[in-house]
Amino acid sequence: MSDSASDPRLRSLANRLGPGPVRKVRVIGFDGSDVLVSVVDATEPDARTGRIPGDEVSMRRAASSEILSVGQEIEAEEIGRLGSGRLLFSAKACENPALRAFLMANQRGQVVTGTVSAVHNFGVFVHLDGEPEGTCTGFIRVPELSWVRISHPSEVVQVGQRITAEVLISETRSGQVAISLKALEENPLVRFAKQAGKVIRGPITKIIPFGVFVHLAPGVEGFLHVSELADGPVDSPEQLVTEGELITVRVAEVDLPRHRVRLAAAPEGPAG
């Protein structure tokens, strides 16, 4: 399993966003944009009625009363419970049966292929092979594009490019499959972990108010706190170093779960 899929924070997110059971419900009224329903197949006394929040009614932008009507029976996905025990549902998760079937078929860890449809500064949209016509289900967050820090997704992919990725989360309520390119690549930090304790010389790649990032190996950067740069107080690291400057550091810690390398000051001299 990839590092992304094994991240406990990601597993927790997947459990919250993962599809719930589908129930048959009947519309019994409206409360603002929310839809009040009775559960047709209810067996528990406290779960005979429920609510569909307004933002869970439909993928379409329209008033709830324009989409559903009193007495109408629909299938909805169970997404939680109110404090009273009443169920919460998502109707939009079941609105497009073909889309739901496609999303349900893409499980975490599965390898998928597709074509990049749009590249934005916040992520990349991908037409996944086999998705229903008229949909665009794949999405890659910027951190999942590469192990290497990038300034913009266009440094990694372009519109029209064919890609192979690993499924992180398939969300029936958003109609998207969160996928990762880097999950199929070796984590460069795994090999680098043996460098813990060693002295390395590398260029400063970025300066921030409380420290600097240093390039240590292909795909690996470490962070050196400003307190390691000087004995006394410093307003900004830029008073001491410049971007691109070579600096000698000691690898103090390699944190694989967080994908972080902590650096410490080291005397100038031969690096290991």
Side-chain angles (χ1 to χ4, degrees):
M1 184 180 292
S2 70
D3 282 11
S4 296
S6 62
D7 187 329
R9 293 167 297 180
L10 187 59
R11 288 202 306 272
S12 175
L13 179 63
N15 291 335
R16 290 201 309 273
L17 298 179
V22 173
R23 310 288 292 273
K24 180 169 285 189
V25 300
R26 181 182 296 112
V27 177
I28 59 175
F30 298 91
D31 181 11
S33 62
D34 290 3
V35 180
L36 306 178
V37 298
S38 62
V39 184
V40 176
D41 58 353
T43 57
E44 304 170 60
D46 63 347
R48 289 176 180 167
T49 59
R51 177 182 294 263
I52 304 174
D55 58 355
E56 292 292 342
V57 172
S58 175
M59 298 273 189
R60 294 173 286 161
R61 292 188 176 182
S64 300
S65 57
E66 295 176 5
I67 298 169
L68 300 174
S69 57
V70 173
Q72 182 178 352
E73 289 190 358
I74 62 170
E75 288 189 332
E77 182 180 296
E78 185 179 322
I79 60 174
R81 285 178 183 262
L82 295 168
S84 62
R86 291 186 177 183
L87 294 169
L88 286 175
F89 294 98
S90 171
K92 70 181 182 181
C94 301
E95 190 173 36
N96 184 334
L99 175 59
R100 182 179 177 84
F102 176 78
L103 296 170
M104 294 290 288
N106 285 277
Q107 300 298 315
R108 187 164 73 246
Q110 185 173 332
V111 176
V112 294
T113 54
T115 303
V116 175
S117 64
V119 179
H120 301 280
N121 60 358
F122 56 85
V124 175
F125 290 96
V126 180
H127 281 300
L128 295 181
D129 294 346
E131 67 185 14
E133 187 176 351
T135 64
C136 182
T137 56
F139 183 71
I140 311 173
R141 294 171 55 247
V142 175
E144 294 299 331
L145 286 165
S146 174
W147 290 109
V148 179
R149 184 162 54 87
I150 59 174
S151 299
H152 192 274
S154 59
E155 297 174 31
V156 180
V157 295
Q158 302 292 327
V159 172
Q161 181 178 335
R162 292 286 296 170
I163 59 113
T164 300
E166 182 177 306
V167 174
L168 299 179
I169 306 172
S170 189
E171 303 175 37
T172 53
R173 291 161 62 188
S174 68
Q176 282 192 337
V177 182
I179 58 178
S180 171
L181 290 182
K182 77 175 188 181
L184 297 181
E185 301 173 354
E186 181 185 20
N187 181 351
L189 206 56
V190 173
R191 288 191 179 185
F192 184 80
K194 67 179 72 172
Q195 301 298 318
K198 294 187 177 181
V199 173
I200 296 178
R201 189 169 175 80
I204 293 173
T205 57
K206 187 176 183 180
I207 299 175
I208 58 178
F210 47 91
V212 300
F213 288 92
V214 181
H215 178 78
L216 305 170
V220 179
E221 286 185 329
F223 180 72
L224 182 69
H225 194 270
V226 64
S227 61
E228 298 284 342
L229 288 169
D231 295 330
V234 177
D235 292 334
S236 170
E238 293 179 330
Q239 294 178 274
L240 304 171
V241 294
T242 58
E243 199 166 296
E245 178 182 340
L246 289 174
I247 186 172
T248 302
V249 294
R250 179 174 59 84
V251 180
E253 180 187 18
V254 178
D255 187 339
L256 287 174
R258 293 185 176 184
H259 195 74
R260 295 176 182 173
V261 178
R262 182 170 61 85
L263 302 175
E268 293 290 335

